[in-house]
């Protein structure tokens, strides 16, 4: 069952039915699934997708930014290659971001994840028993 939210997220589909579209616009969730009515307002991915995409982009593209300056070629060609590399990097990031956001969102809904809630704050600030101070 755990592979369903991931596959449905990659397809940008609802975690419940797998048919309705998650996004109304780029990176903006629909309020609910157009097919089954699942409420999409209950989960929030926050900065998780941006972190994972940025980390992946760094791993893939960083070696090129280190190797390119060491190559012997005309400076204008290096500038052009840096620009092409930058455009490719931004394009890949923008293409991956909705998929990562959808997968994390679907995993949240499938696992009923929510913010931590504390029943008691404990007895912070009070000395332990038998404290000699």
């Amino acid at each position: 069952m755990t592979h369903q939210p991931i596959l449905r997220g990659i397809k940008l589909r609802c975690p419940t039915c797998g048919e309705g579209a998650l996004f109304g616009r780029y990176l903006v969730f629909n309020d609910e699934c157009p097919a089954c009515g699942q409420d999409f307002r209950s989960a929030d991915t926050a900065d998780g997708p941006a972190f994972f995409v940025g980390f992946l982009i760094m791993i893939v593209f960083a070696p090129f930014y280190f190797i390119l300056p060491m190559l012997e070629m005309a400076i204008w060609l290096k500038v052009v290659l840096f620009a092409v590399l930058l455009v490719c990097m931004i394009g890949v990031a923008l293409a991956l971001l909705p998929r990562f956001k959808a997968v994390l969102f679907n995993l949240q809904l499938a696992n009923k994840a929510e913010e931590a809630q504390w029943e008691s704050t404990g007895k912070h600030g009070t000395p332990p028993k038998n404290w000699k101070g």
Side-chain angles (χ1 to χ4, degrees), residues 5 14-16 22 29 38-44 102-114:
C14 171
T16 305
L22 280 176
F29 287 116
Q38 167 72 46
D39 184 20
F40 291 160
R41 293 172 289 218
S42 61
D44 179 28
V103 167
L104 289 177
F105 179 78
N106 283 2
L107 286 170
Q108 275 185 319
L109 287 181
N111 294 304
K112 298 175 178 63
E114 58 185 38

Side-chain angles (χ1 to χ4, degrees), residues 8-131:
R8 289 177 178 175
I10 291 170
K11 295 177 182 178
L12 305 177
R13 297 292 171 207
C14 171
T16 305
C17 68
E19 303 214 2
L22 280 176
F23 297 106
R25 296 178 309 186
Y26 183 74
L27 297 180
V28 178
F29 287 116
N30 289 323
D31 288 337
E32 61 184 31
C33 175
C36 70
Q38 167 72 46
D39 184 20
F40 291 160
R41 293 172 289 218
S42 61
D44 179 28
T45 59
D47 294 333
F51 171 79
F52 289 118
V53 168
F55 196 71
L56 181 65
I57 293 294
M58 179 189 68
I59 290 171
V60 171
F61 285 94
F64 296 107
Y65 282 102
F66 286 107
I67 294 170
L68 191 58
M70 292 187 269
L71 298 176
E72 291 192 26
M73 62 178 68
I75 191 73
W76 67 269
L77 186 56
K78 283 186 184 183
V79 170
V80 169
L81 289 176
F82 267 112
V84 168
L85 190 59
L86 182 64
V87 168
C88 289
M89 187 175 69
I90 292 170
V92 169
L94 291 175
L96 288 178
L97 202 51
R99 309 244 181 244
F100 274 70
K101 186 170 182 167
V103 167
L104 289 177
F105 179 78
N106 283 2
L107 286 170
Q108 275 185 319
L109 287 181
N111 294 304
K112 298 175 178 63
E114 58 185 38
E115 286 186 38
Q117 297 176 1
W118 307 103
E119 293 180 16
S120 170
T121 57
K123 296 181 180 181
H124 300 287
T126 59
K129 291 181 182 179
N130 301 325
W131 174 259

